[in-house]
């Protein structure tokens, strides 16, 4: 029973031999396996599959551990503000005791100390005062920022799923978001690591050519035809196979994990017939498209796999049934790069059939046309075909009994089982007789070339990591635009020793440093990569970073992850993105900062272990260049704005202590302290962080260079941070001293004889502050929707309505009524209104002046895109107003007046995108919330 279980465990691992893939079967394939297995085995198979999934889940790194650059910047800024908080608290405590050094301030006549106060410990009193100032100033730390950021990330992630431009109609699949923590990281990607098969290609295999016994064949009209044969010969060619050809396709038909539907009728009356007389009605199922294509091709050639019953495999050779007993399956693994089956023929012969990469088969072959087959494999690879070699070996009864015992011992071993199995597999798969090789074509996905070019223009380097043969990988890289025809291709391949590899790396490094004009591409194979990573990581990375494109071929899954990690931990700490479609890409996807799974034909392991999932590679351009750009702009402004408005909020509190002798008297009412971040200033920035579009999505998509403006965490560096911080301090000084000099000295401005008290003064400062920070958010907003209007002006209206309501009623549950009628009296003063308008205008004018000067003298590419031609025949401003060609940027003020006076309104503006544009999209995205039509401007 244990041996049967071990055999079955071997069967539930599916193989793709040309790309080091090991995949557990999905539930749907387990059902197909039921044809071979009894119910007990099938149930056990489901249990094994579930166990593998659980193991994968345990090994999967939590995406919450992937801290984005924005989060790191937030933590750094928070540390700076914590230092500011401690500085203000310590300074206030010291100044309090310095001020109280004079007796008249230490114990004034109206506030005599008690005996207990005089005898209390001065150290404890100092600590108590320090803590009191900490509590007074603690609002400078924006605790609500983290709540708002999480809300923005969660709600903002829906825009990816809702974007119809990321919807694949043929497969009925839309983009999927598995984590919302890394949305802004999509706008910071510097390196993209991509798999080839199923990611850049369709993973739809078509059999094209093969080599049998040193003769190259191609398939024409369902017939196996030698190379160079004319069409006339094909029409009259015989459908019979030679012994070598028959054995070759027999190996292909037996060495696989393909399933068929047993509901198919045996008769061929209603089915389409091939030239060999076989029906086309059989339908094969396989998780590996390579195997499916090869088995289908073998059927067309006359050797058809017709199903299995338990351990019996049936094949039909030109209609004649042959049965083989499946004895063992030697599972595929990335190290061996091959899979094998041992079968017993009807005559009692024990035969091993194996197939895999040429680097794994040819060295173990002792006979056959080895040299000619190697030549044909290279020719197939140069055409971009995926190659596999096929071989076999016959066992004597004594040899089989010996290997059967070895397999049983290894599979039932309690210790080092995998190592022992690997040794036994190597022992079995020796002294092979080479049968030939296959060449399968996998066509490129739509718009792969345009997508890679767009990423390159955006400053993103693309590395292709594949398990394919060197020549195949280079051919596909050239066809998809990863390598240009004019690019100088450098190679680090077939290195045999550590010294040889190091010397080759030094030569490549010198060549790259001497030639800065020509673009270079680098090709590395798996064996050379292992040597390079053994002790020359820095030199290897220097060579790679100086190349425009890097191609790593014959890569094992763990090698893919090692390459990603090596670049990720380099001194520059670039943001990496990995994209793939199969289980062999999971380690790479988990290692990168951002992992993207392709919903392809190799199961859902990559999708389940990724941060985002898309149906096609071409969607990557919009995901990064549009969504990533928007998310980064939004959250960067959100973070900076939160720190700014908290500086505006608490700095007047600090300045007020100089007027109240550091008595820890609060400037604002406690209700205002509580509601400032919760109600009065929260919604405008949240709506901005969800809907802002500083540039139209089509412009971002068609001008990938705009992505460079936000690279390297540009908006959350120290310069923007210092600007927002000093802007907050500047506005706070204007709030406080403007209120003090305009209103503080005049006690008769209320008009009713009442004095202008501290609560009125604090309310005036708070009112100017709420207006200023809200209007500042309005100035930052480029894309206005009715939601933005509602929350922006609604927040101001809510503040006034709430203050009138709160100060107009004596609340029975409040201990004090400090704010009773304060706000009403403040607004009844014309001087107060004048002061509010003057201070708000003064604060905003400084910021506007700075923006105008920098926009005119040092405009970024994004700002130029807002003011220049944005598309074919389109001259539209970011304000959604059109202007004529050749108009200078100075005319923007006139257009601003036009908008204010109602001469230019958003509904009058229309835009159209030509289907001839290289990155044309239907713009059905939920991102397009403006009132624009799809006509002309």
């Amino acid at each position: 029973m244990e041996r049967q279980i071990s055999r079955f465990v071997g069967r539930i691992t599916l193989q793709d031999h040309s790309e080091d893939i090991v995949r557990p079967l999905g539930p749907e394939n387990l059902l197909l396996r039921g044809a071979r297995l009894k119910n007990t085995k099938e149930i056990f198979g489901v249990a094994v599959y579930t166990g593998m999934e659980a193991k994968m889940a345990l090994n999967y790194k939590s995406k919450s551990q992937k801290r984005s650059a924005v989060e790191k910047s937030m933590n750094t800024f928070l540390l700076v503000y914590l230092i500011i908080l401690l500085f203000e608290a310590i300074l206030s405590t010291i100044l309090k005791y310095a001020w109280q050094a004079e007796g008249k301030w230490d114990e004034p006549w109206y506030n005599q100390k008690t005996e207990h106060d005089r005898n209390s410990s001065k150290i404890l009193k100092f600590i108590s005062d320090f803590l009191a100032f900490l509590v007074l100033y603690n609002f400078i730390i924006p605790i609500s920022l983290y709540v708002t950021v999480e809300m923005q990330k969660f709600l903002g992630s829906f825009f990816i799923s809702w974007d119809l431009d990321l919807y694949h109609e043929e497969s009925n699949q839309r983009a999927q978001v598995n984590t919302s923590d890394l949305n802004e990281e999509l706008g910071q990607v510097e390196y993209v690591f991509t798999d080839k098969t199923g990611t850049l290609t369709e993973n739809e295999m078509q059999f094209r050519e093969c080599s049998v016994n040193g003769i190259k064949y191609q398939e024409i009209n369902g017939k196996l035809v030698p190379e160079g044969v004319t069409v006339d010969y094909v029409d009259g060619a015989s459908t019979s196979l030679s012994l070598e050809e028959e054995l070759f396709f027999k190996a292909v038909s037996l060495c696989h994990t393909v399933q068929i539907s047993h509901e198919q009728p045996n008769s061929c009356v209603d089915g389409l017939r091939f030239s060999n007389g076989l029906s086309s009605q059989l339908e094969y199922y396989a998780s590996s498209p390579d195997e499916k294509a090869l088995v289908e091709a073998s059927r067309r050639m006359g050797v058809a796999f017709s199903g299995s019953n338990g351990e019996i495999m049936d094949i039909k050779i030109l209609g004649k049934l042959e049965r083989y007993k499946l004895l063992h399956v030697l599972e595929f693994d990335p190290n061996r790069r091959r899979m094998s089956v041992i079968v017993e023929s009807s005559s009692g012969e024990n035969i091993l059939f194996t197939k895999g990469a040429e680097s794994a088969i040819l060295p173990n072959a002792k006979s056959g046309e080895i040299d000619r087959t190697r030549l044909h494999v290279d020719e197939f690879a140069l055409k971009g075909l995926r190659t596999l070699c096929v071989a076999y070996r016959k066992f004597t009864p004594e040899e089989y009994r010996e290997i059967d015992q070895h397999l049983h011992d290894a599979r039932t071993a309690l210790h080092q089982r995998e190592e022992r199995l690997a040794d036994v597999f190597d022992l079995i798969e020796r002294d092979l007789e080479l049968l030939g090789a296959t060449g399968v074509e996998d066509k490129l996905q739509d718009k792969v070339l345009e997508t890679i070019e767009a990423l390159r223009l955006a400053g993103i380097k693309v590395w292709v990591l594949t398990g394919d043969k060197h020549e195949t990988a280079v051919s596909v890289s050239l066809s998809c635009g990863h390598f240009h025809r004019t690019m100088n291709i450098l190679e680090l391949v077939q290195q045999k020793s550590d010294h040889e590899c190091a010397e080759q790396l030094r030569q490549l490094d010198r060549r790259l440093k001497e030639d800065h004009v020509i673009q270079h591409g680098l090709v590395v194979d798996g064996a050379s990569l292992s040597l390079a990573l053994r002790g020359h990581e820095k030199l290897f990375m220097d060579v790679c970073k100086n190349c425009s494109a890097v191609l790593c071929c014959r890569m094992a899954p763990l090698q893919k992850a090692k390459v990603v990690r090596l670049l990720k931990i380099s001194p520059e700490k670039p943001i990496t993105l990995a994209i793939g479609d199969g289980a062999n890409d999971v380690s790479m996807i988990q290692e990168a900062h951002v992992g993207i799974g392709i919903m392809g034909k190799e199961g859902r392991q990559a999708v389940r272990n990724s941060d985002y999932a898309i149906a096609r590679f071409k969607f990557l351009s919009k995901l990064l260049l549009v969504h990533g750009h928007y998310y980064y702009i939004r959250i960067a402004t959100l973070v900076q704005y939160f720190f700014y408005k908290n500086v505006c909020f608490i700095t007047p509190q600090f300045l007020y202590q100089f007027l109240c002798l550091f008595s820890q008297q609060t400037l604002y009412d406690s209700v205002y302290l509580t509601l400032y971040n919760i109600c009065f200033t929260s919604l405008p920035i949240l709506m901005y962080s969800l809907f802002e579009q500083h540039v139209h999505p089509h412009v971002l998509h068609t001008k990938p260079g705009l992505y460079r403006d936000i690279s390297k965490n540009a908006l959350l560096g120290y310069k923007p941070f210092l600007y927002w911080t000093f802007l907050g301090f500047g506005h706070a000084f204007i709030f406080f001293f403007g209120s003090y000099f305009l209103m503080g000295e005049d006690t008769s401005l209320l008009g009713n004889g009442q004095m202008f008290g501290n609560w009125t003064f604090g309310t005036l400062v708070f009112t100017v502050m709420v207006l200023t920070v809200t209007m500042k958010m309005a100035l930052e907003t480029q894309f206005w929707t009715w939601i933005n209007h509602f929350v922006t002006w609604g927040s101001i209206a809510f503040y006034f309505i709430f203050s009138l309501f709160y100060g107009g009623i004596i609340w029975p549950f409040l201990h004090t009524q400090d704010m009773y009628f304060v706000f009403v009296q403040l607004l009844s003063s014309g001087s107060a209104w004048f002061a509010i308008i003057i201070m708000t205008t003064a604060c905003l004018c400084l910021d506007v002046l700075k923006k105008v000067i920098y926009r005119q003298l040092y405009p970024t590419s994004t700002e130029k895109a807002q003011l220049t031609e944005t598309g074919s025949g389109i001259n539209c401003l970011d304000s959604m107003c059109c202007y004529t060609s050749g108009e200078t940027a100075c005319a923007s003020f006139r257009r601003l007046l036009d908008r204010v006076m109602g001469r230019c309104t958003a509904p009058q503006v229309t835009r159209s995108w030509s289907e001839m544009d290289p990155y044309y999209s239907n713009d059905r995205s939920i991102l397009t919330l403006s009132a624009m039509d799809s006509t002309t401007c």
Side-chain angles (χ1 to χ4, degrees), residues 741-800:
F741 289 115
L742 290 175
M743 304 287 290
E745 297 297 328
D746 194 339
T747 59
S748 63
L749 290 176
L750 295 178
N752 57 2
Q754 293 185 1
M755 294 183 64
F756 193 93
N758 67 302
W759 293 115
T760 310
F761 176 73
T763 302
L764 175 62
V765 173
F766 192 84
T767 302
V768 177
M769 178 173 56
V770 169
L771 288 173
T772 301
V773 298
T774 305
M775 293 299 295
K776 169 62 178 172
M777 190 72 262
L779 287 177
E780 293 297 319
T781 303
Q782 302 284 341
F783 183 75
W784 285 91
T785 67
W786 67 267
I787 300 177
N788 296 87
H789 283 292
F790 178 78
V791 299
T792 300
W793 316 123
S795 295
I796 295 176
F798 174 76
Y799 167 70
F800 279 90

Side-chain angles (χ1 to χ4, degrees), residues 76-94 129-143 643 646-647 649-651 653-655 657 662 673 721 725 729:
T76 303
F77 299 162
L78 188 66
L79 182 62
V80 172
Y81 271 66
L82 184 61
I83 294 173
I84 294 175
L85 170 63
L86 294 174
F87 171 76
E88 290 182 346
I90 293 172
L91 179 63
S92 298
T93 307
I94 294 173
D129 287 331
F130 170 73
L131 294 177
F133 281 116
L134 276 182
V135 173
L136 190 65
Y137 301 149
N138 79 90
F139 288 94
I140 197 173
I141 304 298
I143 302 300
F643 283 104
N646 277 39
V647 168
F649 181 41
I650 214 62
T651 302
Q653 185 85 277
F654 171 71
L655 296 175
Q657 297 308 303
F662 297 94
L673 283 170
F721 170 68
T725 300
F729 280 116

Side-chain angles (χ1 to χ4, degrees), residues 742-743 746 749-750 764 826 828-837 839:
L742 290 175
M743 304 287 290
D746 194 339
L749 290 176
L750 295 178
L764 175 62
L826 177 67
S828 66
S829 170
S831 298
W833 280 105
F834 177 76
I836 291 172
I837 295 173
M839 286 186 286

Side-chain angles (χ1 to χ4, degrees), residues 409-424:
D409 294 341
R411 282 176 168 154
T412 57
L414 298 179
H415 302 287
Q416 296 181 332
R417 180 180 302 173
E418 293 185 1
E419 291 81 357
R420 294 184 62 178
L421 277 174
D423 293 339
V424 175

Side-chain angles (χ1 to χ4, degrees), residues 563-604:
V563 171
V564 176
R565 178 165 181 78
L566 188 63
L567 187 65
K568 191 173 71 170
I569 65 175
S570 62
E572 295 81 6
K573 296 291 189 297
I575 304 300
T576 59
L577 180 148
I579 180 171
D581 71 315
N584 64 323
D585 303 315
V586 169
S587 57
M588 173 179 70
I589 289 173
Q590 291 180 350
E591 186 61 52
H593 293 92
V594 182
I596 296 183
I598 296 289
M599 303 171 189
K601 300 177 175 63
E602 296 191 12
R604 286 293 183 269

